[in-house]
Amino acid sequence: FHSVDVPPGGDLVLVAPTLEAMGASTLDELIGDQLPDNAVAHIWNRASGNYTTVAKTARGGWANTPVARGDAMWLQDPAGASTQRVSFAGEVPDTRNLAATTTVSIVGLDAVAYPYPTEIAFTNTTLAQNSADNDVVHFWSAGSQSYNTIAKTARGGWGSADTKILAIGEAFWY
């Protein structure tokens, strides 16, 4: 499993599940009651370029909202809540038994994540290596509630992203 801390008081964290969820395909099955009532998930739908926003209710949980491995989403505690730890359980993707995972970025801005449960240097990802000059990434800081925006240079470097390590489950905008 891997865990992420959802910051207190309505602040946001940008995450993605990175494990095969062993039959779990909805937010209710993945997160369940790990967040308090009135917590919110904003799940990026890359096909429509919009969010699916769902609030956890006491009666209906997360309303059977579908989520797949690698789907980027914002998680938000309700105002007044303390930091909550959310754990995503499942199996490590096995390339011998599962199809290869490809995160396809749409033209324009897209929320993506490294879809495997391991830390990796951003510059070691296929996405970073195949990016064009002047492509831009936006890394979210849950601590400061702000972005670190970096463009690939004409010389092929990523500046401060050259040392960026993607945490397990960390999503970002590309």
Side-chain angles (χ1 to χ4, degrees):
F1 73 94
H2 72 86
S3 298
V4 62
D5 288 334
V6 180
D11 285 351
L12 298 161
V13 64
L14 185 58
V15 301
T18 61
L19 299 164
E20 287 298 327
M22 299 184 305
S25 61
T26 67
L27 200 57
D28 206 38
E29 294 165 331
L30 289 172
I31 295 178
D33 288 328
Q34 295 181 72
L35 291 174
D37 293 344
N38 301 315
V40 177
H42 308 277
I43 304 164
W44 180 248
N45 182 326
R46 69 174 29 105
S48 68
N50 293 303
Y51 289 104
T52 299
T53 298
V54 60
K56 181 181 177 288
T57 65
R59 291 186 171 184
W62 295 99
N64 291 321
T65 306
V67 178
R69 179 170 58 93
D71 282 354
M73 70 182 98
W74 296 99
L75 293 178
Q76 182 178 27
D77 271 341
S82 60
T83 299
Q84 304 290 316
R85 176 154 286 182
V86 173
S87 296
F88 295 95
E91 296 179 310
V92 174
D94 182 351
T95 57
R96 294 171 294 175
N97 299 320
L98 296 171
T101 298
T102 303
T103 301
V104 178
S105 184
I106 59 171
V107 175
L109 194 61
D110 193 10
V112 296
Y114 186 68
Y116 296 100
T118 185
E119 290 182 340
I120 186 170
F122 172 70
T123 53
N124 288 345
T125 66
T126 303
L127 178 68
Q129 293 170 355
N130 293 336
S131 297
D133 293 346
N134 300 314
D135 277 0
V136 176
V137 290
H138 308 274
F139 298 110
W140 179 253
S141 169
S144 67
Q145 293 292 288
S146 64
Y147 287 105
N148 181 17
T149 299
I150 303 160
K152 188 173 183 181
T153 68
R155 294 183 181 183
W158 279 99
S160 63
D162 283 344
T163 59
K164 171 67 176 165
I165 302 297
L166 295 174
I168 297 170
E170 179 181 359
F172 56 94
W173 289 95
Y174 175 84

